[in-house]
């Protein structure tokens, strides 16, 4: 099989959902998953494909150039789908260094090794490597914050506000430069907030569900009116697969579900569903919602205009927030209560 791809960060939330989805739909590909297994990654996310014949796991750091070179030599990758990152905004505020290392230097490292493996000169791919592609997974947070109106398009100027979004914006720029300088076949997708099975406990929706059923306060930042555009993770995975296979080299595609919801709505909705799906002995889950001091520099609103990926690549989200959240709660109830 001449189609082995490197997926980085595949033991994390989106990467794990993606690899399982991709292997199911693409029996003619082999996937090597390079993941450091930081606190955010776990092999529990990949039990479905533990013994899959087209899947290999390697524990290691994307910043370790010698390791990445060794893997390229060993597996002769024909593509890279790069998820690995430090991804939690709150952690980037308390400890930004790891974000710069992994998200910026790590991305540069992967690009550089791929370029040397695939290309002999600027704009010249080696024979047999002409279709090799580097797909960079990024976020809508690079665009900064919106007011009450407007949407992020691919033309929106970058204005990152947190060390996390600044590190992702920097990595996007390095990817962009490899297209313009070396003619490398790169594509970038900038996605809105994801939710669904396998997300780390620290993120908003798993926190709301976990705190609710353990009877703790459900913390909501500030007034709870910050808006995100929520996308169910498998919809992101189909967008990535389409952009990887059909996207135009050098282009970026915004991925978002047109599902703007504020944090308070999300907490209330989850509480209402839990009242039905996992009732409390006494009272309602909403009684546990508490407001806590806002995150410094908290962006007010993100919302994506997904017209380009919809029109040009035929992508469409299958779930809306109200359908996806039921599936998500079911998954966490199973994980947390059984
Ligand atoms: P995650 O934190 O759940 O997973 C990140 C994975 O990367 C983990 O398995 C971790 O072990 C691994 N990793 C971290 N540092 C590494 C290193 N130096 N070398 C190798 N592996 C390393 O993140 P996620 O939510 O799955 O996000 C995946 C990608 O999608 C990230 O690039 C993120 O910026 C982007 N993204 C996420 C969202 C979201 O809502 N979660 C939205 C848009 C874009």
């Amino acid at each position: 099989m001449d189609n082995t791809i490197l997926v980085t960060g595949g033991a994390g939330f989106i990467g794990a959902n993606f690899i399982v989805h991709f292997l199911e739909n693409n029996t003619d590909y082999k996937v090597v998953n390079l993941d450091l297994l930081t606190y955010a990654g776990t092999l529990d996310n990949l039990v479905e494909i533990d013994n899959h014949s087209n899947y290999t796991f390697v524990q290691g750091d994307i910043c370790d150039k010698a390791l990445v070179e060794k893997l390229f030599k060993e597996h002769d990758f024909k593509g890279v789908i790069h998820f690995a990152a430090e991804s939690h905004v709150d952690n980037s505020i308390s400890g930004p260094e790891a974000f710069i290392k992994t998200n910026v230097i790590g991305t540069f490292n992967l690009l550089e090794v791929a370029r040397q493996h695939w290309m002999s000169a600027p704009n010249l791919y080696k024979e047999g490597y002409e279709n090799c592609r580097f797909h960079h997974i990024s976020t809508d947070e690079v665009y900064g914050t919106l007011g009450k109106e407007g949407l992020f398009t691919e033309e929106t100027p970058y204005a990152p506000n947190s060390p996390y979004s600044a590190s992702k914006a920097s990595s996007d720029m390095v990817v962009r430069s490899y297209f313009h300088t070396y003619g490398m076949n790169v594509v970038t997708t900038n996605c809105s907030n994801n939710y669904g099975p396998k997300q780390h406990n620290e993120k908003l929706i798993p926190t709301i569900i976990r705190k609710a059923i353990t009877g703790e306060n459900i913390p909501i930042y500030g007034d709870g009116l910050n808006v995100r555009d929520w996308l169910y993770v498998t919809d992101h995975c189909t967008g990535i697969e389409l952009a990887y296979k059909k996207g135009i080299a050098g282009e970026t595609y915004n991925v978002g579900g047109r599902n703007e919801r504020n944090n308070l709505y999300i907490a209330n909705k989850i509480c209402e569903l839990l009242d039905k799906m996992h009732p409390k002995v006494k009272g309602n889950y909403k009684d546990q919602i508490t407001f806590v001091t806002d995150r410094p520099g908290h962006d007010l609103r993100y919302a994506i205009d997904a017209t380009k990926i919809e029109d040009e690549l035929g992508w469409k989200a299958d779930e809306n927030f109200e359908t996806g959240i039921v599936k998500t709660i079911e998954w966490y109830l199973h994980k947390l209560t059984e």
Side-chain angles (χ1 to χ4, degrees):
M1 192 183 297
D2 190 30
N3 219 346
T4 304
I5 62 170
L6 172 66
V7 173
T8 68
F13 165 45
I14 305 172
N17 277 284
F18 178 78
I19 295 178
V20 172
H21 159 92
F22 189 81
L23 284 174
E24 221 171 82
N25 297 317
N26 296 278
T27 48
D28 51 340
Y29 280 81
K30 283 189 176 169
V31 170
V32 174
N33 174 14
L34 171 62
D35 194 299
L36 187 55
L37 296 182
T38 67
Y39 80 96
T42 166
L43 295 181
D44 293 347
N45 283 342
L46 294 156
V47 281
E48 298 96 318
I49 51 162
D50 246 358
N51 300 312
H52 199 295
S53 53
N54 288 348
Y55 170 70
T56 307
F57 176 72
V58 178
Q59 182 171 7
D61 192 337
I62 58 166
C63 299
D64 180 347
K65 193 168 181 197
L67 170 66
V68 176
E69 280 170 346
K70 178 174 151 290
L71 292 175
F72 265 82
K73 281 208 183 85
E74 212 172 297
H75 299 278
D76 198 21
F77 298 125
K78 297 289 165 46
V80 176
I81 305 183
H82 172 38
F83 294 88
E86 287 291 338
S87 72
H88 191 39
V89 177
D90 287 345
N91 293 346
S92 84
I93 296 168
S94 54
E97 194 172 337
F99 287 71
I100 304 302
K101 279 195 180 138
T102 288
N103 300 1
V104 186
I105 315 255
T107 302
F108 161 70
N109 210 26
L110 291 166
L111 279 165
E112 186 53 14
V113 176
R115 180 176 75 86
Q116 284 173 12
H117 193 80
W118 295 340
M119 303 182 77
S120 44
N123 301 306
L124 193 62
Y125 269 81
K126 296 177 189 167
E127 206 182 314
Y129 293 88
E130 295 84 355
N131 296 319
C132 294
R133 161 161 283 182
F134 189 101
H135 184 148
H136 178 54
I137 308 298
S138 193
T139 165
D140 63 351
E141 302 197 25
V142 297
Y143 298 121
T145 188
L146 290 165
K148 288 207 165 68
E149 303 287 317
L151 298 171
F152 295 136
T153 72
E154 289 79 1
E155 311 305 321
T156 303
Y158 274 30
N161 288 324
S162 72
Y164 164 66
S165 53
S167 68
K168 292 297 292 187
S170 309
S171 65
D172 294 7
M173 295 300 162
V174 182
V175 172
R176 178 189 153 89
S177 77
Y178 271 61
F179 173 74
H180 287 276
T181 301
Y182 301 113
M184 198 163 147
N185 178 352
V186 304
V187 75
T188 298
T189 43
N190 293 85
C191 189
S192 61
N193 275 42
N194 284 216
Y195 68 103
K198 304 182 180 179
Q199 190 166 25
H200 192 274
N201 271 345
E202 68 191 353
K203 299 285 169 72
L204 178 71
I205 288 177
T207 299
I208 296 172
I209 302 170
R210 190 179 76 258
K211 298 271 183 186
I213 65 172
T214 52
E216 294 169 69
N217 286 340
I218 300 169
I220 297 296
Y221 279 136
D223 55 11
L225 298 183
N226 299 69
V227 173
R228 300 292 181 261
D229 184 352
W230 292 90
L231 184 68
Y232 192 65
V233 64
T234 50
D235 282 326
H236 188 189
C237 294
T238 59
I240 293 167
E241 186 179 349
L242 267 178
Y244 178 70
K245 290 182 177 169
K246 298 192 176 153
I248 294 172
E251 291 291 313
T252 63
Y253 296 89
N254 283 354
V255 193
R258 303 178 192 277
N259 273 274
E260 289 184 52
R261 303 287 183 277
N262 71 41
N263 292 348
L264 190 56
Y265 171 88
I266 284 170
N268 280 322
K269 184 80 196 166
I270 292 173
C271 288
E272 283 164 20
L273 287 165
L274 281 173
D275 284 337
K276 292 190 200 120
M277 295 164 74
H278 189 73
K280 279 167 79 144
V281 181
K282 205 167 150 260
N284 297 319
Y285 286 106
K286 277 185 193 171
D287 304 338
Q288 291 165 231
I289 294 177
T290 46
F291 294 93
V292 299
T293 310
D294 209 354
R295 166 192 282 169
H298 202 175
D299 287 337
L300 175 69
R301 176 172 164 260
Y302 306 139
I304 287 262
D305 178 351
T307 306
K308 181 175 174 183
I309 192 168
E310 287 168 346
D311 288 0
E312 293 184 13
L313 304 183
W315 176 80
K316 202 178 144 297
D318 282 336
E319 305 287 343
N320 62 37
F321 185 74
E322 286 63 32
T323 58
I325 196 64
V326 173
K327 295 183 181 181
T328 307
I329 294 176
E330 276 166 359
W331 189 86
Y332 280 98
L333 282 177
H334 189 261
K335 178 182 170 198
L336 297 168
T337 61
E338 288 180 17

